[in-house]
Amino acid sequence: MMSTLFDPVQAGSLKLANRIVMAPLTRNRAPGAIPTPLMQTYYRQRASAGLIITEATAISHQGQGYADVPGIWSPEQVTAWKKITDAVHANGGKIVVQLWHVGRVSHTDLQPGNQAPVAPSAITAKTKTVLIRGGVPAFVETSAPRALRPDELPGIVDNYRHAARCAIEAGFDGVEVHGANGYLLDQFLRSGSNQRVDAYGGSIENRARLLVEVTQAVAQEIGGGRTGLRLSPVTPANDASDSNPQPLFDHVARALGPLQLAYLHVIEGATGGARDHVQGSTPFDYQAMRAQYRAAGGTGAWMVNNGYDRELAQASLSQDADLVAFGRLFIANPDLPRRLREDAPLNDPDRATFYGGAEKGYTDYPALAA
Ligand code: 8OZ
């Protein structure tokens, strides 16, 4: 039987009412890294998604890379997030928090003691980040990073473990490890940003080591069935590059198989851009990666993302996907599942209000009349 976007599905321990996922979306509305009451309204409005994945959320001060993004490492943050998870649950939704360490995609202004950001290797990312200067958001070049010492890596794994524990205390249904888009774990994966000569660099196995250790630690802490992982095999986002992504991500998929994760969340192509983006010499074969995952015992749901609309989502569900994540459509349509079901017109997202600001372009998109 062909499943539809509106059929329930089990993803690990997560019992989801439908297959429509709200993708993680950075919105820069959490000054001091503390979630706000306005964020509660925003997520509550979107509780009809089968699953909400929060905006990327820092696991530590060192993991911060942008102005006014939230964190999940302190008691104050846990208390603030609890109000949000309660609001989503009261409206029948499920919500996981995306655990984030930006690595080199940061700026000294955002780091503890204004120190250099950390990375697998001391190679500056050719990308920008956002600072608030004089109350106004400004795009600035990322700062030159320093290479992490091998003895610092267990501490970073512990930071992920601690954040996962905080997530459960805050009432989240689980977590998603952010392994995508050129941030710390992706920087370790890819040859363009990882020139280490220790056990965390060089071979594919070594470059994948930190991602696998982190995912394993989180799964151990809260259960694999409450742990998801996001990957972006060919994205050029944040200066991510690899000369040969297929064997790298096939290996990652095999290594994840035994962890019994809730889901794998795969960005197809360039994040927020071309779905057929190529990195390396041949188009990436996502079916092959999925086959490797299944062959290694992976039972998690397969979540696809990037530029999906109603038609493409339904086609993907009838082939290989279990869940479809929607980003920009969820920014502009708080009641997206209903609109997809009724094939109703969609509100258009306003780019000018994606990052920073208040209600405008955040909690003021209208739902359909009851
Ligand atoms: C847009 C702006 C800032 C961060 C990602 C967390 O690409 C992000 C992000 C997106 O995963």
Side-chain angles (χ1 to χ4, degrees), residues 24-28 55-57 66 69 98 100 102 129-130 178 180-183 230 237-238 267 271 355:
L25 296 158
T26 292
R27 307 303 307 271
N28 307 75
E55 62 208 276
T57 298
Y66 299 80
V69 296
Q98 196 193 42
W100 194 27
V102 296
T129 183
V130 178
H178 194 342
N181 293 346
Y183 297 111
R230 191 179 213 207
N238 292 311
I267 299 170
T271 311
Y355 310 114

